[in-house]
Amino acid sequence: MWLIRLFDEKVDEMFAKGLIHGTTHLCVGQEATPVAACAALMKTDKITSTHRGHGHCIAKGADVSKMMAELMGRVTGYCKGKGGSMHIADLEEGNLGANGIVGGGIPIAVGAALTSNMMKENYVVLCFFGDGATNEGSFHEALNLAAIWDLPVIFFCENNQYGMSGSVKEMFRIQDIADRAVAYGMPGHVVDGNDLEAVYDVVACAVARARSGAGPSLIEAKTYRWKGHSKSDGRKYRTREEETAWKAKDPIARFKSRLIDEGIATEEQLNDIQARAKMEIERAVSFAENSPYPTLEMLEEDVYAH
């Protein structure tokens, strides 16, 4: 969780300095959901990601140096510096990637789950998406198909209360997005997305169900993004009081307190984890800054197949 937060805070800082271009979607405040969800998976399992995907990449095992290089447009990045923040994929770690289309990863996850069944590879696919994606047609089509064919896929909605600048209170007539699961004959679960252990438990159950051949599940993790939707978002649509209330539910501080209270770790040990994560991010920045840009001759490489 510290690695994810410090990565995105560093990206925020570097974007402000003009060292990172394009756009970025930061997941500060949402660190528990990717960490807990990916901890419930095997290395051979797959994920698909979405706009706010840096946490998904890191939790599934991505190299933060290659991620930083990608964001800085360097040839040592995951997509050789040509994809940027929203197009990081790491096939070796089972990350099938993110894209800039709202809900775009949902049908990809269903296709990957179908492949798992057809090829008898027994891997599970966990599909991350935001609350805004659940109003897209692809969401409903994918859930219906996955349910009909009992595909090994978990639909994981990170409900951070806002689809871009639209509050979920204005976009849905239901209180819980997970209620939509019943229409497709699959289990629907609501979980506190800032409670690491609660998220792990519900995802682990869904993974076991999917791997057994019983089919998909829909999980809604209620959480909150501390930053704007993207770097151009001034967050004028929400109050400072709301932000303060959610920051009091900080998933990192919450888990840290639990570890200390239960005698699992000392504050010094946990501070050391934070310090080591900070050093890893600094090494990632140095790696990226010392990496070359792609050359003009590389313009058409990896863009299409001959």
Side-chain angles (χ1 to χ4, degrees):
M1 287 195 289
W2 268 123
L3 197 60
I4 293 168
R5 177 164 297 180
L6 293 172
F7 182 90
D8 266 5
E9 286 181 345
K10 178 59 71 171
V11 168
D12 195 20
E13 173 190 323
M14 295 174 70
F15 192 97
K17 293 179 179 178
L19 299 174
I20 291 177
H21 304 282
T23 187
T24 56
H25 301 80
L26 307 178
C27 65
V28 177
Q30 298 183 202
E31 294 85 1
T33 50
V35 170
C38 289
L41 300 175
M42 296 172 61
K43 183 179 174 63
T44 52
D45 292 332
K46 317 296 182 188
I47 68 167
T48 61
S49 186
T50 184
H51 292 67
R52 217 165 306 287
H54 299 158
H56 309 148
C57 291
I58 293 171
K60 196 61 174 73
D63 183 332
V64 291
S65 292
K66 292 176 68 175
M67 287 178 64
M68 191 66 74
E70 183 60 38
L71 266 65
M72 293 185 71
R74 307 306 173 102
V75 74
T76 51
Y78 272 105
C79 298
K80 301 180 183 177
K82 296 186 283 186
S85 176
M86 285 193 290
H87 300 93
I88 294 174
D90 185 1
L91 301 184
E92 290 184 6
E93 295 295 338
N95 181 355
L96 303 181
N99 56 72
I101 300 171
V102 176
I106 302 176
I108 295 172
V110 172
L114 176 60
T115 300
S116 178
N117 275 9
M118 292 181 69
M119 303 301 290
K120 295 180 170 48
E121 295 183 354
N122 199 36
Y123 64 75
V124 169
V125 186
L126 192 141
C127 175
F128 289 104
F129 51 89
D131 46 275
T134 64
N135 283 335
E136 295 287 332
S138 59
F139 169 82
H140 299 279
E141 294 168 7
L143 265 68
N144 188 58
L145 194 65
I148 291 170
W149 289 346
D150 291 323
L151 297 181
V153 57
I154 294 101
F155 299 101
F156 191 93
C157 175
E158 293 175 305
N159 179 359
N160 60 25
Q161 313 305 309
Y162 290 93
M164 201 164 184
S165 61
S167 169
V168 292
K169 297 176 182 177
E170 299 171 349
M171 301 299 168
F172 299 89
R173 291 297 298 271
I174 54 177
Q175 184 172 347
D176 298 319
I177 292 170
D179 286 349
R180 291 184 167 177
V182 69
Y184 303 103
M186 69 177 70
H189 306 280
V190 179
V191 65
D192 180 351
N194 287 7
D195 185 333
L196 184 86
E197 292 172 286
V199 175
Y200 175 84
D201 289 342
V202 73
V203 174
C205 288
V207 168
R209 181 178 188 275
R211 208 181 305 279
S212 72
S217 302
L218 172 61
I219 297 170
E220 177 190 0
K222 293 184 186 290
T223 183
Y224 197 79
R225 55 171 167 80
W226 292 8
K227 305 287 185 176
H229 170 71
S230 64
K231 291 302 299 176
S232 59
D233 179 5
R235 314 193 309 278
K236 295 180 180 179
Y237 47 83
R238 65 192 199 190
T239 66
R240 293 295 175 260
E241 290 77 15
E242 177 185 292
E243 292 184 346
T244 300
W246 273 98
K247 285 183 178 181
K249 303 174 184 178
D250 178 357
I252 297 180
R254 189 170 173 177
F255 191 57
K256 179 179 178 180
S257 294
R258 183 157 188 173
L259 292 173
I260 293 172
D261 291 345
E262 295 184 7
I264 297 170
T266 65
E267 186 159 6
E268 290 74 17
Q269 288 174 318
L270 298 176
N271 288 342
D272 181 60
I273 289 173
Q274 180 182 352
R276 284 189 280 121
K278 185 175 182 179
M279 289 176 61
E280 191 168 346
I281 298 302
E282 294 301 332
R283 285 195 295 269
V285 173
S286 178
F287 172 81
E289 288 179 334
N290 288 290
S291 296
Y293 290 101
T295 63
L296 184 61
E297 289 72 27
M298 297 173 66
L299 181 65
E300 294 183 353
E301 285 183 11
D302 310 307
V303 177
Y304 62 91
H306 292 281

